[in-house]
Amino acid sequence: IGEDSAAFELGKQKLVSWVYFGVVLGVVLFILNVVWIDNSTGFGKSFIDAVSNISGSPEVAMLMLILIFAIVHSGLASLRDIGEKLIGERAFRVLFAGISLPLAMSTIVYFINHRYDGSQLWQLQGVPGVHEAIWVANFVSFFFLYPSTFNLLEVAAVDKPKMHLWETGIMRITRHPQMVGQIVWCLAHTLWIGNTVAASASLGLIAHHLFGAWNGDRRLAKRYGEDFESIKKRTSVIPFAAIFEGRQVLPEDYYKEFVRLPYLAITALTVGAYFAHPLMQGASFRLHW
């Protein structure tokens, strides 16, 4: 009933679409820099300062940034059906991304710059084996975090965006992989940093994704009806629960659903992001958010 996730056929790709994607990405990044990132022209610093001045507490500011992002992101997602009917799928995707992206970036940059500002709750960074365990947990989390963004052409509205009903790959393990991946990421980073800012960030992000899981099921049920209910019976929110209960039977060649270019790309990007941590930290610090 559902779609095959992470399917990618090189023969069906059009070079002009990927050229268009590159142009769109460049234009978006340029506008984002001028309107939001550059402190001399953008509103990003003013936004961060306004939120930070509410209480002067980095923990409260962190929660407020996540709350603002969550309201906007989930609110627009809930209005997707209405919005697409009014202005079309591509225009609504541009609106959705254009509002969500600056807020997400502000939240991430603030977390990077203020991750050690809170009160220390524990210190495990010098304990043997902890770094390796955290690294593995973060690596695994990214395989859960991005099952619905494999088609980058849809993300950039080059292809017409769709609300997908995935059923294979990571979806067999959990129906809400992004929620699971975010929880794993949050727990790993909170364990590593061990302070109140990390704990507040994790609290906000996990709460947002728990709501997103409920809201996602509601929206899929509304759009797909019985088809979604059939997939819901064969899947679970809790990882591996449907498999253990016998509601989801894995095919013998299940591994083939992961031996695909999108998962290889995620592997490369995840490893690259780890080594790029100093660059991300340096770029965030220079913004003084």
Side-chain angles (χ1 to χ4, degrees), residues 12 18 23 56 65 75 92 131 155 169 206 236 255 258 269:
K12 292 185 178 181
W18 287 103
V23 172
L65 287 169
F92 185 81
H131 178 270
V155 175
I206 291 173
S236 61
Y255 71 93
F258 291 91
L269 289 172

Side-chain angles (χ1 to χ4, degrees), residues 68-106:
I68 293 169
F69 171 78
I71 292 173
V72 172
H73 190 267
S74 293
L76 287 174
S78 298
L79 296 173
R80 179 173 180 174
D81 288 343
I82 297 174
E84 289 182 345
K85 289 179 182 178
L86 291 175
I87 63 176
E89 291 90 342
R90 286 188 171 90
F92 185 81
R93 174 56 60 85
V94 171
L95 175 67
F96 180 82
I99 298 176
S100 298
L101 186 58
L103 297 177
M105 181 180 180
S106 297

